[in-house]
Amino acid sequence: MILLRVVAGLTLAAHGSQKLFGSFGGSGPAGTRTFFAGLGFRTPLAMALIAGLSELGGGLLFAFGFLTPFAALALTVVMLNAIGTVHWKKGFFNSAGGFEYNLLIIATGVAVTAAGPGRLSLDHAFGWAGNISGPWWALALVVLAPMIALVTLTLRRQSHAPRESDEPRTAAAPSATVRIAAPKER
């Protein structure tokens, strides 16, 4: 279990550090913000930071086997959002930009949550691995993660109709103005 946790966790932590710090050839917060803006998120910088923190923090927690189901929840929500915004329309296979990689990450999180993080984990060292892992925890992950992702994906949509406060405050164009002739003085 340690090999699976460490490889998956550190891979996602590195991916998160690309978003947050521009590490490993990543675009950093500015580039990630631009990416999230292109996906239609209302608050692209906040979403970029949340995604990066979820991947970095969740990945490190997962790798160390610390609060494992909560780490898996963070990673699963990010992957479901990635599927919903980018990968689903590209089909299954990763070679075409599909969601197979995301699905493997989700399955890894659910499986480790169900089986427990293993003896070589902080959860086990603190004596609570049996209390925060197992089939019920995995079921909670499978139920909660899509609900959270659905809320995120629903709220991400920007309204395309301008609100009154968004409209510029300028004078009407001459062609749109009705002119009333004043009576001539005699």
Side-chain angles (χ1 to χ4, degrees):
M1 197 63 69
I2 188 170
L3 179 64
L4 183 60
R5 268 195 1 259
V6 169
V7 170
L10 292 182
T11 299
L12 286 161
H15 198 67
S17 71
Q18 287 182 307
K19 287 179 174 68
L20 293 173
F21 311 117
S23 307
F24 310 111
S27 58
T32 306
R33 181 218 166 278
T34 301
F35 176 74
F36 276 89
L39 294 176
F41 282 94
R42 291 181 186 194
T43 55
L45 181 59
M47 291 308 300
L49 295 174
I50 290 168
L53 285 170
S54 295
E55 289 175 349
L56 178 63
L60 290 174
L61 290 174
F62 198 77
F64 286 108
F66 184 59
L67 302 172
T68 306
F70 300 103
L73 178 64
L75 299 174
T76 300
V77 169
V78 171
M79 291 302 110
L80 287 172
N81 277 290
I83 290 170
T85 55
V86 176
H87 302 287
W88 183 260
K89 60 186 165 230
K90 297 178 181 178
F92 179 73
F93 292 103
N94 192 47
S95 59
F99 60 90
E100 78 176 304
Y101 174 69
N102 309 93
L103 186 60
L104 279 171
I105 294 168
I106 292 168
T108 299
V110 172
V112 171
T113 298
R119 287 184 305 127
L120 299 174
S121 68
L122 290 176
D123 286 347
H124 183 77
F126 290 129
W128 62 46
N131 295 327
I132 62 169
S133 62
W136 289 109
W137 283 89
L139 179 62
L141 173 62
V142 168
V143 170
L144 286 176
M147 291 171 64
I148 296 167
L150 182 62
V151 168
T152 306
L153 292 171
T154 301
L155 293 177
R156 88 174 169 113
R157 297 282 182 204
Q158 292 184 8
S159 172
H160 293 293
R163 293 173 286 179
E164 184 178 326
S165 62
D166 292 340
E167 293 179 14
R169 304 224 180 247
T170 59
S175 61
T177 305
V178 177
R179 296 177 193 246
I180 299 175
K184 290 185 180 182
E185 290 185 30
R186 294 186 191 184

